[in-house]
Structures are given as structure tokens and as C-alpha cells.
Amino acid sequence: MIKKNKINEHKLYKWLILSIAVTASFMAILDINIVIVALPKMMSHFGVNVITIDWVIIAYTITYSIIILLTIFASKKYGFKIPFVVSIVFFVIGSAFCGFAPTYEIMIIFRIIQAIGGAGLIPISVNLIAKYFKAQERGTAMGIWTIGIMVAPAIGPIIGGYFVDYVDWRMIFYFNVPIGIILLLGTLILLENDMPLKPFTKKFDFTGFILIAISLGTLLYVLNEGQTLEWDSAAIHLSELISAASFILFLIVEIFSKKHLMDYSLFKTRNFVIGNLVNIIRSGAIFSTLFLLPIFIEDILNYNAMHAGYLMAPFAITTGVVSPIAGKISDKYGPKYLILLGMIIFAISNFSLGSISLQTSIPFIVYNQLLRGIGVGLINAPLLMTVINSAKFEQIPDASALYNVFLQIGASFGVAWSGEELVVRQVYHLNQYSRDINYNSYNFNNVINFLHGDLIKNGGSFVRAMLYPFNSVKVFDYIINEFSLIGAYGDVFAALGYLCIIGSITALAVKNIKR
């Protein structure tokens, strides 16, 4: 029997803390992904359009990325337990309120409250792992922690699809409440009170925080809304100007101020800088694929949301299996070559997706997901270990918060770029087809006659319903548009493969630190 006041000395204690960290991170990441599935239902329920409903995601993302920076100061001043408990409480209350939000405007307010809580869950979880596991054990611990981080995006569409299709879309928010309550009780009971004995006397850098918050907020707004509002719109250009100006002012203030928002000496450390460069590239490639592949599976291959979720599951399973193994290996042999190998395998999986077509089979998708899971599983824990182990113990709150900020920026850049590039490449392929097709040729007339005489007139009721009221030329144009879009998907996936190659080259600069 372990005495309560001695529980933190028991050899199993750190693993109990790890289970808390995994649960918190899983819950935070799952919420981000599960909400996406319910957006069409929410749009219909609240009577808003596509551009408006996007703010359910954007409000959360911007608030999340800004509040992460507050966890640095809070962790140094109050320890890890108090900010962690506050984060859980905000997240649970925000989730419950989102579940019964009567109007769209109130939903946005509650999403902001939820994001205030969610922002502290992941960076403080990393801090707890760094605190309770020695440097030579962190790879293993972070490998296990990564399971929750990577499984959540894959199973989110499955859970969300089930709730939306068979229960109620509000359940995607209520789902967090019991998990959050269990997590809160476990944290209150198990996590020791770690309020610093020596008070943290440095004052909070309000000016620097406000400036970087404005810069980050407007940058993420641009990345999330650029394609919707058009990149050349006045709102986007104004936001870009505000983001750049506030960031320049932030740099000036931090140079001349005695108060600093974070410990900038981290940027003098080679592995911290290189690790976060790879982090940005890696997150851009991962979230671009997580964004594009389900859309291709649903819109081009005509599977529903739950089936798309099932096809994403092999990625989560493989990542979950490989991550702890990679973490264990990196503890002993260092992280550099695992990151390098993982980026190369990830690149191969993206190049493989460059060949997708209407004939793409389920076994091919499953194989690709397994391959991608191996690559990402080899990257995640060693990369996080590279960044965290480059910091001194007192710098770990800064390092973990910045790691998550860079991850969010990389993900937003990746999704924004891939969505825009998909449109650009579709136009390119349409131009190619228009150049190659001769509308007066014998072959073209044969195709039109086939569409009119055989497919439209003699096709099954499903085919006629799908094509009605298009005439033969419009049907032909529709087919060309679809083939152009498929070609665009292949081009973007291939480009992500090249991005991973750049990431592997960058990883060569990591200094390999063995146990």
C-alpha cells in the first residue's frame, strides 16, 4: 500500500502522470478534429452560410494559439498543477456550454472559452513529461504520449460521424465532459502541488503579449480565410499588414524592454531551432494530408464520412504502435536518424498518393496509410525530444509552448497552401485539357453521341438522376472538371512529398545526442 504523501516517490508515479498527460492531449486534439464533421449540421441548425460557420473553427484556433503563450508565465509563477487544473475546468465548462448553445453568436463565445482551456492542456502535458521523466527516458514517454496526439485526428471523423448521423451533433461537445471530469479528479488527486517555493518575481510582459497576440491572430485569420475571402481582397491585405507591423513592433519592444515574454536564449540552441524548422515542415505536411485525403475519399470516391474515418484509422494505429518504439530507440541512439528516416518514408507515402485516380482501391489507401503512419511515428517522439532536451529545465515551459505555437503555424500554413494549390492545379489541368481537346474532331463527336445516346438515355435511373438536367456537352465538361480535380490532388500530394524531402535535408542539421 502506497502512502498518499509518498506516492510521488513510487516508481509507477511518473507513469500515472503520463496517463494524465496522454488523456489531456487526446481530448484537446480530438475536439479540434471532431467538430469539423458537424459543421454542415451546425450550419443548417443556426441558419448561417459556409463563410460564417468557419468561425467555429477559426475562433478556437486563434484563441488557442494566443493563450498558449500565457502558459509560459503561468507555469513559472504557479507551477504546473494550478494552470493545468484551470485549463481542464475551462475546457469542460466551454464544452458543456457549446453543447447547448442556443445561437451561433453564443456558440462562438463558448468556443473561445473552450479554447482558453484547450490551449493549456498540450504544452503543460509536455512540461509534466519533462519534469517527471529523466532526459534519457523522455523519448519513450513522448512516444507513448504521441499515441494520443496522432490517434485523435484519425478517429475524430469516426466518432463525429457517428454522433452526427445517428445521435445528435451536440454530442460532439458533451462527449468531452465526462472525460474532462475524470481527468480533473485524477489531476487533483495524483498531481503534487508544485507551487514554486521561491516566488517568481518577474512581471508579465503585457505589451509584448498583446503585440504578438495581434500578429498571430491576424496571421492565422489570413491563413484560414484567405481562400474563402480571396487572397487579393482588402480584408486579407489589411490583416497581412497588421500582422507584419505588430510583429515588427513586438521585436522592437522585446529588444529594448527589461521584461521578456519568453526566454529568447533558446533560439541560440541549434537543436531547438532546427527541431522547430522540421516541426513546421512536418506539421504542414501531416495536416495537409489529413485535410485533403478525407475530402478525396468522400467527394471523389463517394464514401461517407464514417467510411473515410475508417480508412484513416490505419494511419492512427500504425503511428500509435511505432511512436513508443521510436521513442525508446531515440533514448538510446539519439533522434537524428529516426527523424531523417521518418521524413523519407513520409515523403514516399505522399509521392505514392500522387498517383491517385478514380481506380484508387481501398487496399492501396490502407497500404499508404500504414506507410505514412510508420513515417510519422518515427518522427514525432524523436522530434519533440530534440526540442525539449535542447532546453534547460527552467526553459522547458518556453520550449514546449513555442513548439506547439510553431506546430499550429505550420499546420495552418500547410492547410491554407494545399487548399489554394488544389485550385491552382485544377485550373492548370483544365487549361491542358482545353488545349488538347478538339471540339470539331471525330473522337469528340463520338464521345458526345455516347453521352447523349447511351449514357443519358439508356443509363440506369441513378445515372439519369445524377446527370439531369445537363445536356451532353455539360456532362462532358463535368467529367473534364472531375479529371482536372483528380490531377490536382495528385500534384498537391506530390508537392507534399517534396516538402518532406526538404524536411529530411533540414533534419541532417540536428545534433545527435545519445544517452
Side-chain angles (χ1 to χ4, degrees):
M1 188 84 176
I2 306 168
K3 293 182 180 179
K4 189 173 181 180
N5 62 339
K6 294 291 184 180
I7 190 172
N8 61 345
E9 299 175 6
H10 195 272
K11 62 182 180 180
L12 294 179
Y13 181 71
K14 60 186 177 184
W15 299 104
L16 293 174
I17 299 303
L18 178 60
S19 67
I20 290 174
V22 170
T23 304
S25 302
F26 173 81
M27 186 172 65
I29 296 294
L30 180 67
D31 179 79
I32 295 172
N33 290 273
I34 201 174
V35 170
I36 296 173
V37 180
L39 290 181
K41 286 280 187 180
M42 294 168 66
M43 186 169 62
S44 173
H45 179 86
F46 292 123
V48 295
N49 58 25
V50 175
I51 295 175
T52 306
I53 201 67
D54 274 357
W55 277 94
V56 173
I57 302 295
I58 295 169
Y60 187 97
T61 302
I62 292 176
T63 306
Y64 177 93
S65 301
I66 291 170
I67 298 300
I68 279 180
L69 298 173
L70 284 175
T71 64
I72 301 172
F73 181 81
S75 297
K76 290 179 179 179
K77 188 170 182 65
Y78 303 107
F80 297 140
K81 182 171 184 175
I82 293 176
F84 197 55
V85 168
V86 171
S87 296
I88 297 170
V89 170
F90 266 88
F91 189 82
V92 171
I93 292 174
S95 297
F97 284 176
C98 284
F100 62 77
T103 66
Y104 169 78
E105 292 75 16
I106 293 176
M107 168 64 79
I108 298 302
I109 293 171
F110 291 154
R111 281 290 282 172
I112 291 172
I113 294 172
Q114 190 187 31
I116 291 171
L121 296 179
I122 295 178
I124 296 176
S125 294
V126 176
N127 292 338
L128 291 173
I129 294 171
K131 177 179 178 179
Y132 289 101
F133 287 84
K134 298 176 182 178
Q136 63 269 25
E137 300 173 328
R138 288 175 189 162
T140 303
M142 288 173 182
I144 297 171
W145 176 79
T146 299
I147 296 174
I149 291 292
M150 297 314 303
V151 167
I155 69 170
I158 300 175
I159 298 174
Y162 176 78
F163 285 148
V164 170
D165 291 340
Y166 301 110
V167 189
D168 185 354
W169 66 265
R170 294 181 182 276
M171 279 299 298
I172 65 173
F173 296 111
Y174 293 138
F175 181 73
N176 293 321
V177 176
I179 300 175
I181 291 173
I182 294 170
L183 177 64
L184 178 61
L185 292 175
T187 301
L188 290 172
I189 294 170
L190 293 174
L191 193 58
E192 61 181 334
N193 185 10
D194 59 348
M195 176 78 78
L197 297 175
K198 184 179 179 181
F200 184 73
T201 56
K202 289 185 179 180
K203 295 182 179 180
F204 184 66
D205 181 10
F206 279 105
T207 306
F209 174 73
I210 291 169
L211 288 171
I212 196 64
I214 293 172
S215 180
L216 268 178
T218 48
L219 173 63
L220 291 171
Y221 172 79
V222 168
L223 294 174
N224 281 281
E225 289 289 87
Q227 190 172 353
T228 305
L229 300 179
E230 296 186 0
W231 294 100
D232 289 330
S233 66
I236 294 300
H237 284 318
L238 179 61
S239 298
E240 289 170 339
L241 181 62
I242 293 172
S243 181
S246 55
F247 183 70
I248 292 170
L249 286 173
F250 168 75
L251 293 178
I252 294 171
V253 166
E254 294 300 290
I255 289 171
F256 294 101
S257 175
K258 292 181 180 179
K259 296 182 293 184
H260 291 141
L261 187 62
M262 60 194 77
D263 189 343
Y264 300 108
S265 64
L266 281 168
F267 291 94
K268 297 179 182 178
T269 307
R270 173 175 160 183
N271 272 11
F272 180 83
V273 174
I274 299 300
N276 275 307
L277 285 175
V278 178
N279 178 27
I280 292 171
I281 294 169
R282 179 278 313 251
S283 61
I286 288 176
F287 285 93
S288 294
T289 313
L290 287 173
F291 166 65
L292 291 175
L293 193 55
I295 297 175
F296 180 86
I297 292 171
E298 292 179 46
D299 291 354
I300 304 298
L301 301 183
N302 288 319
Y303 290 98
N304 63 26
M306 284 193 68
H307 281 109
Y310 291 140
L311 290 175
M312 299 296 286
F315 165 68
I317 294 169
T318 311
T319 303
V321 171
V322 173
S323 290
I325 299 171
K328 189 75 173 177
I329 295 171
S330 65
D331 279 338
K332 188 172 183 180
Y333 298 105
K336 177 176 180 175
Y337 299 107
L338 286 169
I339 298 171
L340 177 61
L341 179 61
M343 291 301 296
I344 291 172
I345 294 174
F346 193 16
I348 292 170
S349 73
N350 280 315
F351 286 133
S352 175
L353 283 175
S355 65
I356 54 177
S357 68
L358 284 174
Q359 285 73 46
T360 296
S361 64
I362 289 178
F364 173 83
I365 294 174
V366 171
Y367 155 76
N368 186 273
Q369 293 290 77
L370 293 172
L371 185 66
R372 187 159 61 96
I374 293 171
V376 173
L378 290 172
I379 298 168
N380 284 338
L383 182 60
L384 183 54
M385 192 183 83
T386 298
V387 173
I388 297 301
N389 283 356
S390 68
K392 298 175 184 177
F393 181 76
E394 63 273 13
Q395 295 175 315
I396 286 176
D398 302 73
S400 64
L402 287 170
Y403 177 88
N404 282 281
V405 169
F406 286 129
L407 185 148
Q408 187 62 52
I409 291 173
S412 297
F413 265 109
V415 171
W417 173 85
S418 59
E420 177 65 18
E421 189 66 10
L422 191 67
V423 175
V424 171
R425 296 306 297 178
Q426 184 180 12
V427 171
Y428 167 81
H429 285 289
L430 279 172
N431 290 333
Q432 292 292 103
Y433 280 122
S434 65
R435 186 194 67 184
D436 296 336
I437 294 172
N438 183 352
Y439 288 89
N440 295 316
S441 70
Y442 175 77
N443 290 331
F444 173 77
N445 288 322
N446 278 343
V447 171
I448 295 299
N449 289 333
F450 166 74
L451 293 174
H452 180 73
D454 294 325
L455 194 59
I456 294 179
K457 284 188 175 181
N458 302 322
S461 58
F462 171 75
V463 174
R464 291 197 298 273
M466 183 177 68
L467 298 179
Y468 180 83
F470 297 143
N471 59 35
S472 302
V473 175
K474 287 185 177 179
V475 172
F476 182 79
D477 287 341
Y478 169 79
I479 293 171
I480 294 300
N481 269 283
E482 286 296 290
F483 276 109
S484 299
L485 182 58
I486 293 168
Y489 273 104
D491 292 347
V492 175
F493 283 125
L496 291 173
Y498 287 112
L499 180 64
C500 292
I501 293 296
I502 294 172
S504 65
I505 294 171
T506 307
L508 289 172
V510 170
K511 185 178 180 181
N512 200 43
I513 300 173
K514 302 178 183 179
R515 183 162 64 182

